[in-house]
């Protein structure tokens, strides 16, 4: 039997880098070139705090003598000092909350000594440092947390311990070794036995490999030998409620059984076709209508499979699809340490009920950052202009309901049609709706409406709306400060001062602008001189007359000039054909708008500093059988394709329904995204966005 040597484990840990389960600490301090040993007292404190945080979360490893970037620099301490540090997991932790069997050892790696510490997730005690501090590991940091928040309810203990228990009746041949081998390739090309040990799913005991229940749930060849309801049931119900007897309205009922990795694949394949609906449109043509964002539904499915209470062996996951909503119901109440309010507020709270299962799924790419799944579901539904999901917990079950209901009613869309010519983004439409009845709007209202986390993004959105003429400030800076001063405790951002212009003013100003553009001589480059010439032709009352720089920005937003300030074909036609051009009539038509997808342009700071930009395109709603070569053919016509990544399923080998494509530069990528958004590819409508 191949045993995972501790040195190999530590080297692999360093290669993988810091995460929810790994932390590195240097034994030195000071500027580069002037490093000196740290005080052993502060290192001891780091050890105690790190292990307490790991034990209060999902367990983890701490390495002393390794830099944040994974460089091994060693420990410059005497043997006496090292002995003191190795005792820190005991001396630095409160006597009433000892850590659960921590490992602490000095070991040589690549010729340098380091200290290695490891602690399991604790399920019975809330741990504190010797000075009474309580911490918990959250992604890449150890954060203070109240003891009360971490209190366990007794009924949760069994569910938290379920996947970690060793099953003595299980043998290694109970596992699908082809599946284990596929995963081991991802974790570092180690043998399947070593991979199981590295992932914490097995330990080599007396003469044989001992398996945790998590290993059986993830990889067993016959999962029903170990769990009778490791399954997902999918029901398609015609109508908005389930009926019985002669009115029974279930038109599809399929139960998918298998280990967790098989469930992730097979249940998604069965669920995916129900995310679209074929309807007869007003042109008497059958057309597919997307009911729910594919990624949001997939995230809800993964979340249920990862975090359900497997200790409840009599129930499986159940997905009910009605005409107006979809509910994913999983066994087990929400953990007592997580509140529904926090989920609804998208705070990113996280704690794994099934720590070993969650860790494996994160290591191999099914689960992203811990605590991000639910936030992503809310964001994706919001991006699709659908109402917020509903989460509920009680009576031994947790549910997530997605609604096929737009935040824009038919009346809203009819009203927004007056702004069609300005090509408003979804966010801009939402802001315009705030001032629909003529009421003034505060910056705080907009910030909260869009669920923003950065005021620079707010300023970018408002700048765009201001350039388009949709929104304007009704107060001067002096008046704004004066009003804020009258209301104690009120900030400037809470003062309602922004107003939305009516469509009559905008349509008149746009009509005058297009007429002025049609009178301009042809120019191959649109500069400030051209802009000033247009302004000179506008009536004094025109809202776009004020600033030549802002006018150039507006022409870009209207797709009349490109990023290089060259006229597009539409502006060329307007300048060459004059008022007889169809561009004016086309742009100012009042047809009902199509609610656009989220803005594909990364926001820029009003100070001119571009925010950190993603360098790849996320391509969603792909068929499972897609290949890298097929995607290459789709994107090559836009410019050089630098890379294509199609994440593969470990069970089927097929794609997971999405890919990442990197083109030569951002301009080429943006052009590809605009042209391919909604493009039909092998019978599916492509969904593109910047990769987050």
């Amino acid at each position: 039997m191949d045993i995972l040597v501790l040195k190999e484990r530590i080297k692999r840990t360093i290669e993988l880098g810091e995460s929810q389960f790994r932390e590195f600490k240097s034994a030195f301090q000071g500027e580069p070139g002037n490093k000196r040993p740290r005080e052993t007292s502060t290192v001891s404190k780091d050890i105690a705090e790190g292990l307490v945080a790991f034990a209060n979360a999902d367990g983890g490893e701490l390495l002393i003598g390794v830099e944040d970037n994974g460089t091994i620099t060693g420990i410059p301490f005497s043997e006496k000092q090292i002995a003191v540090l190795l005792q820190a997991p005991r001396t630095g932790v409160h006597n009433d909350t000892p850590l659960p069997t921590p490992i602490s050892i000095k070991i040589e790696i690549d010729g340098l000594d380091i200290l290695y510490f490891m602690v399991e997730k604790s399920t019975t005690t809330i741990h504190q440092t010797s000075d009474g501090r309580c911490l918990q590991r959250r992604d890449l940091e150890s954060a203070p947390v109240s003891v009360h928040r971490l209190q366990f309810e007794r009924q949760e203990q069994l569910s938290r311990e379920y996947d970690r228990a060793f099953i003595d009746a299980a043998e290694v041949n109970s596992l699908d070794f082809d599946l284990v081998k596929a995963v081991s390739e991802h974790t570092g090309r180690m043998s399947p036995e070593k991979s199981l040990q590295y992932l914490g799913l097995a330990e080599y005991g007396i003469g044989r490999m001992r398996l945790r229940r998590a290993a059986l749930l993830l990889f067993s060849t016959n999962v029903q030998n170990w769990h009778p309801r490791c399954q997902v049931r999918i029901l398609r119900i015609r109508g908005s409620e389930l009926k019985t007897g002669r009115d029974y309205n279930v038109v599809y009922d399929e139960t998918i059984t298998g280990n967790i990795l098989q469930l992730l694949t097979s249940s998604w394949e069965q669920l995916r076709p129900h995310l679209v609906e074929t309807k007869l449109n007003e042109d008497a043509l059958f057309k597919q209508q997307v009911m729910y964002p594919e990624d949001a539904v997939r995230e809800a499915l993964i979340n249920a499979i990862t975090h359900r209470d497997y200790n409840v062996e009599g129930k499986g996951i159940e997905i009910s699809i009605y005409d107006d909503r979809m509910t994913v119901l999983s066994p087990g109440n929400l953990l007592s340490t997580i509140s529904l309010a926090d989920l609804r507020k998208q705070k990113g709270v996280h704690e794994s009920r099934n720590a070993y299962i969650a860790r494996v799924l994160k290591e191999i790419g099914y689960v992203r950052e811990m605590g991000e799944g639910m936030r992503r579901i809310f964001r994706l539904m919001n991006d699709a202009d659908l109402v917020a999901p509903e989460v509920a917990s009680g009576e031994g079950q947790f549910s997530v309901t997605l609604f096929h209901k737009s935040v824009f009613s038919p009346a809203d869309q009819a009203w927004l049609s007056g702004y069609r010519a300005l090509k408003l983004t979804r966010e801009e439409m939402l802001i315009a709706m705030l001032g629909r009845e003529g009421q003034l709007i505060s910056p705080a209202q907009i910030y909260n409406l869009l669920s923003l986390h950065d005021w620079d993004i707010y300023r970018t959105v408002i700048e765009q709306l201001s350039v388009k003429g949709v929104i304007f400030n009704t107060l001067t800076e002096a008046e704004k400060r004066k009003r804020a001063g009258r209301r104690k405790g009120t900030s400037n951002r809470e003062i309602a001062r922004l107003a939305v212009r009516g469509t009559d003013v905008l349509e008149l100003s746009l009509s005058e602008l297009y007429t002025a553009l049609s009178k301009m001589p042809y120019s191959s480059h649109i500069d400030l001189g051209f802009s000033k010439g247009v302004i000179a032709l506008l009536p004094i009352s025109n809202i776009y007359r004020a600033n030549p720089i802002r006018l150039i920005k507006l022409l870009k937003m209207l797709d009349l000039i490109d990023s290089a300030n060259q006229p597009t074909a539409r502006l060329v036609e307007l300048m060459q054909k004059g008022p007889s051009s169809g561009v004016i009539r086309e742009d100012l038509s009042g047809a009902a708008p199509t609610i656009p997808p989220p803005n594909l342009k990364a926001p820029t700071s009003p100070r001119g500093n571009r925010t950190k930009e993603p360098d790849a395109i996320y391509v969603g709603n792909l068929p499972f059988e897609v290949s890298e070569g097929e995607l290459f053919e789709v994107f090559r016509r836009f410019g050089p394709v630098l890379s294509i990544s199609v994440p593969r399923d470990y069970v089927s080998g097929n794609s997971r329904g999405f890919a990442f494509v990197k083109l030569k530069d951002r301009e080429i990528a943006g052009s590809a995204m605009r042209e391919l958004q909604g493009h039909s590819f092998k019978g599916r409508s492509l969904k593109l966005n910047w990769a987050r």
Side-chain angles (χ1 to χ4, degrees), residues 51 70 164 175 219 231 241 328 519 536 580 588-589 664 687:
L51 295 183
R164 68 183 296 173
L175 306 181
F219 300 114
Q231 62 186 40
E241 61 178 308
V328 181
K519 296 178 180 178
S580 63
L588 298 182
S589 65
K664 181 182 178 181
K687 307 294 181 186

Side-chain angles (χ1 to χ4, degrees), residues 622 624-636 641 643-648 653-655 658-661 681:
L622 291 172
F624 290 128
E625 65 277 8
V626 70
S627 69
E628 285 83 352
E630 289 171 322
L631 287 177
F632 179 80
E633 291 301 321
V634 171
F635 283 91
R636 66 183 296 187
V641 180
S643 66
I644 295 177
S645 171
V646 181
R648 298 284 171 184
N654 291 331
S655 83
F658 60 91
F660 299 96
V661 178
F681 175 71

Side-chain angles (χ1 to χ4, degrees), residues 169-327:
E171 301 287 345
V172 173
N173 59 14
S174 301
L175 306 181
D176 181 338
F177 248 58
D178 288 337
L179 196 51
V180 177
K181 185 177 179 181
V183 170
S184 68
E185 290 289 318
H186 182 90
T187 55
R189 297 187 179 276
M190 56 182 72
S191 70
E193 293 91 342
K194 284 185 177 181
S195 180
L196 288 170
Q197 292 179 78
Y198 169 74
L199 294 169
L201 300 176
E203 287 187 10
Y204 196 72
I206 303 173
R208 70 186 185 93
M209 184 84 77
R210 300 184 68 211
L211 298 177
R212 295 189 191 273
R213 186 180 275 111
L216 297 165
L217 290 171
L218 285 159
F219 300 114
S220 62
T221 53
N222 189 348
V223 75
Q224 288 184 310
N225 289 341
W226 314 104
H227 195 290
R229 292 290 185 272
C230 191
Q231 62 186 40
V232 175
R233 183 185 182 193
I234 301 173
L235 297 102
R236 176 65 175 98
I237 302 160
R238 194 62 69 190
S240 58
E241 61 178 308
L242 179 61
K243 298 178 181 179
T244 58
R246 291 197 307 175
D247 296 326
Y248 187 63
N249 54 340
V250 174
V251 295
Y252 178 91
D253 187 347
E254 183 74 24
T255 298
I256 302 97
T257 301
N259 63 45
I260 286 175
L261 292 183
Q262 290 169 339
L263 278 186
L264 287 167
T265 300
S266 301
S267 57
W268 177 237
E269 289 175 349
Q270 296 297 320
L271 179 60
R272 197 181 194 192
H274 296 286
L275 307 187
V276 296
E277 190 170 88
T278 303
K279 290 187 175 182
L280 190 67
N281 66 13
E282 57 188 16
D283 297 321
L285 298 173
F286 286 100
K287 187 175 182 181
Q288 281 193 333
Q289 178 184 11
V290 177
M291 306 293 286
Y292 306 97
E294 187 171 277
D295 288 347
V297 177
R298 191 168 191 273
E299 198 74 53
L301 174 65
I302 292 173
N303 186 74
I305 293 174
T306 304
H307 300 297
R308 65 153 286 185
D309 187 350
Y310 285 96
N311 184 55
V312 180
E313 295 185 340
K315 295 181 180 179
I317 295 165
E318 192 168 288
I319 302 175
S320 300
I321 308 164
Y322 298 87
D323 288 352
D324 61 345
R325 69 191 186 280
M326 172 188 296
T327 297

